[in-house]
Amino acid sequence: MMQRPLRPEDYSLKETSPHLGGGTAGDKLTTTYDLVEQMLYLYVRVVKAKDLPPKDIVSGSLDPYVEVRLGNYKGTTRHFEKKTNPEWNQVFAFSKDRIQASTLEVLVKDKDFVKDDFVGRIFFDLTEIPKRVPPDSPLAPQWYRLEDKKGDKIKGELMLAVWMGTQADEAFPDAWHSDAATVPSDGLPNIRSKVYLTPKLWYVRVNVIEAQDLQPSDKGRFPEVFVKASVGNQALRTRISPSRSINPMWNEDLMFVAAESFEEHLVISVEDRVGPNKDEVLGKTIIPLQKVDRRLDHKPVPSRWYTMEKHVVITEGDKKKEMKFSSRIHLRICLDGGYHVLDESTHYSSDLRPTAKQLWKPSIGVLELGILNSQGLLPMKTKDGKGTTDAYCVAKYGQKWVRTRTIIDSFAPKWNEQYTWEVYDPCTVVTIGVFDNCHLHGGEKATGTKDSRIGKVRIRLSTLETEKVYTHAYPLLVLLPSGVKKMGEVHLAVRFTCSSLLNMMHMYSQPLLPKMHYLHPLSVSQLDVLRHQATLIVSTRLSRAEPPLRKEVVEYMLDVDSHMWSMRKSKANFFRIMGVLGGVIAVGKWFNQICNWKNPLTTVLIHVLFVILVLYPELILPTVFLYLFLIGVWYYRWRPRYPPHMDTRLSHADTAHSDELDEEFDTFPTSRHPDIVRMRYDRLRSVAGRIQTVVGDLANQGERLQSLLSWRDPRATALFVLFCLVAAVVLYVTPFRLVALLAGIYLLRHPRFRHKLPSVPLNFFRRLPARTDSML
């Protein structure tokens, strides 16, 4: 059966009306989980047992475990060897939608090689089970006397708590779920929902000043000395000292990325270039980063002399003697807390705060995200001869990553999980990715496999109106060598709540990045290298969590490969620029029509306006700003009503030629051509990648100009429209000559009166949204 071709509307956003909260306005659930649909679960907490009768006649012992049965579903605890008073403290959750039984049966059994022995059981009638909704206190477990198969009371008691609750329950994330009954116990950690925190990242600045009393092995030559510094797998080196002596000088800065709790040390070695590809170590020192000074501003920290040691083994006859030489190196080392360590694409930053917590400003609001469900997912792998998908969601904002539980074998999974983040800057992006879990079995079976990408969504907070709940189904689009493909849809509910509108409006006048980025800027190449190291640290740390957030997931969420050359992206950026210039071209065509008297009435009005402005030049600027104000108010009727989403037409994903896609998915370096062509091809892609970035940045500036009046960012447009109105009034009452004089004097002011930080209008402009959020 052939799949029908996708129509343009299949790639678009769809507004939905889910039944959020699942209760009335007074329901306690609406205060905690009001952005998701209510899901009911039967929870069974098996705490412990006492006085269990032994079943092994020979040894008089018992290897107990508990089995919880509800209809066709069965969950078991771990077993204890030779213990009559075991403690399990495990929770089982049965989805109410799948319950087809009227009674719950809890059995205690004795683990045996041949057949497990029955010890005792307890029955519960589902109609009499209490309901519990947070923030109610957890239900207290009770002791229940075991019964035999005839229903008579026997020796032994089991402590249990049984209640009906929702996904807002504290027991939900760590519970054994009935819809994952086929997953073996060693794979259960890989399917649970978790919250992850990325480590706090610092820039380490090493200022290498000079060294003294070096001991080169060949004292008859001028040493060619350089300093090599390393932190973990990061290694940098200075230039060879021009002084060519045993007391060389450098005065160079080397920058690294380090993560708390600073497990890796800074290793400094001074080396002498004694021949081609041959270096001799003249001294080495190890500096723990925990003891390094931390600075919050641009003031230099004190420099220090560090002792370096060089060990040499000298042979005298049959004896070997180890000699130790000491020399010194002069360094200024600090942890730069005034910068924001970039670990994600600058176009999609979710956090712009400096590293040092002392420099953080108060939060301006709260972002709430409800991950409801997915629809129409495609099969991602084959199991038992049929296609299947085990989907989970990952959302990232700031230092907090969240992962939903994995829904086993479903093309329409329902998660209904809600998460919250503090917001410090509205001009940031939350990223939501959907993945197929390929690690259900855990252990060695999952080694070497990778979780598959299903698609992702980006939402810029500044494009959302405050206090409004957005419920949309977002298309999940991925680009494959065969072209763009829709993998399904993800259904989200988003709300951005503002604590202080005044503080948020004030943010639009502030620099986008911390002050240190402008007072002591890092070079573009430096930032690229440091960002690469930061993403490596984040992916390594998150992959060591339990359950791990794997490297392929983290790299996809952080857009690690976004800098690679692509003919498709270059074309898309070119047409974005043409789209921006389209407005200018339209004005030119309209003016040409005025000159050619295509519409006599309009032309006469323009002539009248022109004569008035010539006779009264003080009306020019007020008229322009008043016109912009009126356009902004007029466009308010057509303001976007939904968040941005992946746009295949904007990305030129649906029209890309197969050869262009082959080039985009080609390896780097290329594997398609002989050596000489490969070298030229790679060089071309490298250069073109830079051009692509520049073209994209130009498109960003033009699109930000467009967004001044488009209400894409409702607060920014409101500020600009109000400014236009005030400017129109002020410029009307102020003589034009005075305005021109003051503007000229301001533009030509002395450098002493210029501030190093960007101006308020420039900060406001840089915070305006561009269409990068909608690009694949």
Side-chain angles (χ1 to χ4, degrees):
M1 182 176 174
M2 291 183 64
Q3 187 178 3
R4 67 170 178 82
L6 289 174
R7 299 186 299 270
E9 58 266 25
D10 291 322
Y11 294 129
S12 62
L13 210 60
K14 297 172 186 173
E15 192 162 1
T16 60
S17 302
H19 185 52
L20 300 183
T24 60
D27 196 337
K28 290 180 182 178
L29 182 74
T30 59
T31 62
T32 51
Y33 263 47
D34 60 337
L35 287 186
V36 291
E37 295 180 347
Q38 189 182 91
M39 298 174 72
L40 288 175
Y41 288 87
L42 172 65
Y43 289 98
V44 182
R45 181 185 293 278
V46 180
V47 184
K48 57 185 175 180
K50 66 179 181 181
D51 302 330
L52 295 178
K55 301 300 285 185
D56 194 324
I57 300 171
V58 179
S59 62
S61 64
L62 182 74
D63 301 335
Y65 71 92
V66 174
E67 185 177 285
V68 182
R69 285 185 185 174
L70 186 63
N72 295 328
Y73 296 104
K74 179 177 72 174
T76 57
T77 67
R78 62 190 181 279
H79 79 279
F80 290 95
E81 291 189 8
K82 299 180 180 178
K83 199 168 187 181
T84 56
N85 297 307
E87 288 192 24
W88 294 282
N89 202 22
Q90 284 182 248
V91 181
F92 299 84
F94 299 88
S95 174
K96 190 180 180 184
D97 293 341
R98 300 190 180 188
I99 294 177
Q100 296 177 342
S102 58
T103 58
L104 169 72
E105 188 178 8
V106 182
L107 300 96
V108 180
K109 291 188 173 183
D110 175 32
K111 191 79 173 175
D112 206 345
F113 287 110
V114 183
K115 185 182 178 184
D116 298 344
D117 295 324
F118 171 83
V119 177
R121 66 183 177 184
I122 305 166
F123 278 105
F124 292 91
D125 188 344
L126 294 190
T127 58
E128 297 181 5
I129 289 175
K131 186 176 180 181
R132 183 235 165 188
V133 179
D136 285 350
S137 299
L139 196 68
Q142 300 179 36
W143 286 106
Y144 294 88
R145 178 68 67 87
L146 296 178
E147 299 176 356
D148 59 16
K149 293 181 179 180
K150 297 178 181 177
D152 299 328
K153 300 293 183 183
I154 60 171
K155 183 185 176 185
E157 291 181 88
L158 187 62
M159 183 179 273
L160 294 173
V162 183
W163 72 97
M164 193 68 76
T166 67
Q167 73 268 38
D169 203 291
E170 294 89 342
F172 180 80
D174 295 318
W176 174 95
H177 285 269
S178 56
D179 57 2
T182 57
V183 179
S185 58
D186 59 345
L188 281 176
N190 290 318
I191 68 169
R192 286 180 174 149
S193 56
K194 288 292 175 187
V195 174
Y196 305 83
L197 291 177
T198 55
K200 187 187 283 188
L201 300 176
W202 293 78
Y203 283 145
V204 183
R205 188 186 295 270
V206 182
N207 179 225
V208 183
I209 304 171
E210 59 181 325
Q212 285 185 353
D213 307 326
L214 298 178
Q215 299 279 344
S217 56
D218 184 0
K219 294 182 172 57
R221 57 181 281 278
F222 292 110
E224 298 180 24
V225 185
F226 62 91
V227 175
K228 186 177 177 182
S230 63
V231 176
N233 63 346
Q234 307 168 68
L236 296 173
R237 52 194 291 173
T238 66
R239 69 188 189 284
I240 291 174
S241 173
S243 55
R244 301 285 182 102
S245 68
I246 61 169
N247 299 314
M249 296 190 70
W250 295 276
N251 199 23
E252 272 190 60
D253 270 359
L254 305 176
M255 296 285 288
F256 302 91
V257 180
E260 291 185 357
S261 55
F262 305 120
E263 298 168 0
E264 293 159 335
H265 298 325
L266 172 64
V267 181
I268 304 285
S269 63
V270 178
E271 302 185 15
D272 181 16
R273 173 67 51 80
V274 294
N277 300 320
K278 188 178 180 185
D279 303 321
E280 179 193 4
V281 177
L282 301 181
K284 191 174 184 179
T285 185
I286 298 174
I287 303 164
L289 290 176
Q290 293 97 329
K291 298 180 180 179
V292 170
D293 294 329
R294 303 183 182 195
R295 73 171 185 177
L296 309 180
D297 50 27
H298 59 280
K299 295 174 184 174
V301 298
S303 58
R304 285 182 55 192
W305 286 94
Y306 293 88
T307 302
M308 297 187 298
E309 293 184 350
K310 176 188 178 186
H311 295 269
V312 179
V313 177
I314 299 174
T315 306
E316 294 180 356
D318 295 335
K319 294 182 179 179
K320 289 185 178 180
K321 192 163 79 173
E322 186 177 3
M323 297 288 290
K324 186 166 73 173
F325 298 104
S326 291
S327 52
R328 301 195 307 162
I329 187 167
H330 194 193
L331 303 170
R332 181 180 282 110
I333 310 171
C334 69
L335 293 167
D336 259 332
Y339 291 92
H340 169 69
V341 179
L342 298 166
D343 61 340
E344 53 195 343
S345 173
T346 50
H347 296 309
Y348 316 121
S349 290
S350 64
D351 188 15
L352 300 165
R353 292 170 293 169
T355 299
K357 216 167 186 176
Q358 299 94 311
L359 301 176
W360 290 5
K361 292 175 182 171
S363 66
I364 59 161
V366 171
L367 168 67
E368 295 167 281
L369 173 68
I371 303 173
L372 301 173
N373 55 62
S374 268
Q375 296 292 332
L377 295 185
L378 300 181
M380 300 299 295
K381 56 180 179 280
T382 304
K383 181 181 177 183
D384 299 330
K386 67 170 185 172
T388 182
T389 298
D390 307 310
Y392 66 92
C393 272
V394 174
K396 179 221 184 303
Y397 185 79
Q399 293 181 318
K400 178 179 170 183
W401 296 60
V402 299
R403 167 180 174 156
T404 68
R405 71 194 189 284
T406 300
I407 305 297
I408 308 300
D409 194 14
S410 174
F411 300 132
K414 292 183 179 181
W415 294 288
N416 285 306
E417 296 182 28
Q418 185 170 332
Y419 298 97
T420 306
W421 289 267
E422 277 194 298
V423 176
Y424 292 86
D425 194 314
C427 303
T428 44
V429 175
V430 60
T431 306
I432 303 102
V434 184
F435 301 88
D436 175 48
N437 196 333
C438 297
H439 296 82
L440 300 183
H441 296 284
E444 296 180 0
K445 288 185 179 179
T447 305
T449 57
K450 290 185 177 182
D451 289 351
S452 306
R453 308 169 176 180
I454 297 178
K456 68 181 168 188
V457 175
R458 302 188 199 99
I459 302 173
R460 185 173 291 273
L461 270 57
S462 63
T463 62
L464 305 175
E465 294 180 23
T466 52
E467 311 296 339
K468 180 179 177 181
V469 178
Y470 290 85
T471 52
H472 291 90
Y474 296 78
L476 293 170
L477 307 174
V478 293
L479 197 65
L480 303 171
S482 56
V484 69
K485 191 172 186 179
K486 182 178 177 182
M487 309 296 287
E489 294 177 341
V490 63
H491 192 188
L492 304 175
V494 186
R495 178 171 56 209
F496 175 32
T497 308
C498 170
S499 55
S500 169
L501 187 61
L502 195 63
N503 284 348
M504 184 156 64
M505 292 299 194
H506 176 66
M507 287 299 297
Y508 281 89
S509 68
Q510 299 300 301
L512 204 60
L513 291 167
K515 291 181 180 179
M516 282 292 286
H517 285 270
Y518 306 102
L519 299 175
H520 284 272
L522 303 173
S523 68
V524 174
S525 58
Q526 242 184 336
L527 285 172
D528 280 346
V529 173
L530 291 172
R531 183 195 164 210
H532 175 67
Q533 294 299 337
T535 54
L536 274 179
I537 291 171
V538 170
S539 63
T540 303
R541 284 290 183 93
L542 293 179
S543 65
R544 282 163 43 189
E546 187 59 46
L549 204 57
R550 301 183 185 278
K551 186 180 179 183
E552 62 270 17
V553 173
V554 176
E555 289 184 349
Y556 182 55
M557 297 288 287
L558 291 178
D559 289 288
V560 167
D561 54 357
S562 61
H563 65 283
M564 292 295 288
W565 155 259
S566 159
M567 180 68 77
R568 177 188 61 83
K569 287 181 186 175
S570 298
K571 280 166 58 178
N573 285 333
F574 172 77
F575 283 107
R576 284 170 64 202
I577 289 180
M578 294 306 295
V580 171
L581 296 176
V584 179
I585 295 168
V587 170
K589 289 180 178 178
W590 173 79
F591 186 71
N592 189 49
Q593 288 177 351
I594 295 296
C595 295
N596 291 321
W597 288 77
K598 295 282 185 184
N599 189 332
L601 180 62
T602 307
T603 305
V604 169
L605 290 173
I606 291 298
H607 277 75
V608 172
L609 180 63
F610 175 69
V611 171
I612 292 172
L613 293 179
V614 168
L615 294 176
Y616 302 99
E618 63 271 14
L619 292 177
I620 294 174
L621 289 176
T623 303
V624 169
F625 280 106
L626 188 61
Y627 183 60
L628 290 173
F629 168 75
L630 292 172
I631 291 176
V633 172
W634 181 256
Y635 278 178
Y636 181 75
R637 296 165 58 191
W638 294 286
R639 67 192 183 280
R641 306 281 182 171
Y642 48 81
H645 65 287
M646 301 299 185
D647 192 330
T648 52
R649 178 173 291 181
L650 178 70
S651 307
H652 279 253
D654 52 348
T655 58
H657 193 268
S658 58
D659 185 57
E660 293 172 2
L661 291 172
D662 180 64
E663 180 188 40
E664 185 169 343
F665 284 91
D666 189 11
T667 55
F668 189 86
T670 178
S671 56
R672 302 289 192 269
H673 302 284
D675 292 343
I676 182 101
V677 182
R678 181 184 301 161
M679 182 270 293
R680 293 173 183 167
Y681 183 47
D682 292 343
R683 183 173 58 196
L684 174 65
R685 292 172 74 185
S686 170
V687 173
R690 291 191 213 112
I691 296 171
Q692 166 187 302
T693 304
V694 172
V695 172
D697 287 341
L698 288 172
N700 285 343
Q701 310 316 316
E703 286 169 355
R704 283 178 179 142
L705 273 174
Q706 283 183 328
S707 66
L708 278 171
L709 296 171
S710 70
W711 295 93
R712 177 75 276 175
D713 180 342
R715 287 161 293 277
T717 303
L719 280 173
F720 183 70
V721 167
L722 286 173
F723 168 77
C724 291
L725 179 61
V726 172
V729 174
V730 171
L731 292 171
Y732 177 75
V733 299
T734 309
F736 177 76
R737 292 180 182 85
L738 179 61
V739 172
L741 181 64
L742 291 175
I745 291 173
Y746 177 77
L747 290 173
L748 299 172
R749 69 193 185 280
H750 192 273
R752 184 180 295 174
F753 301 106
R754 296 179 187 271
H755 204 275
K756 281 190 174 182
L757 293 179
S759 63
V760 170
L762 192 58
N763 292 332
F764 179 86
F765 182 76
R766 284 177 175 167
R767 288 175 170 276
L768 292 169
R771 300 184 72 193
T772 49
D773 306 330
S774 302
M775 287 194 66
L776 279 171

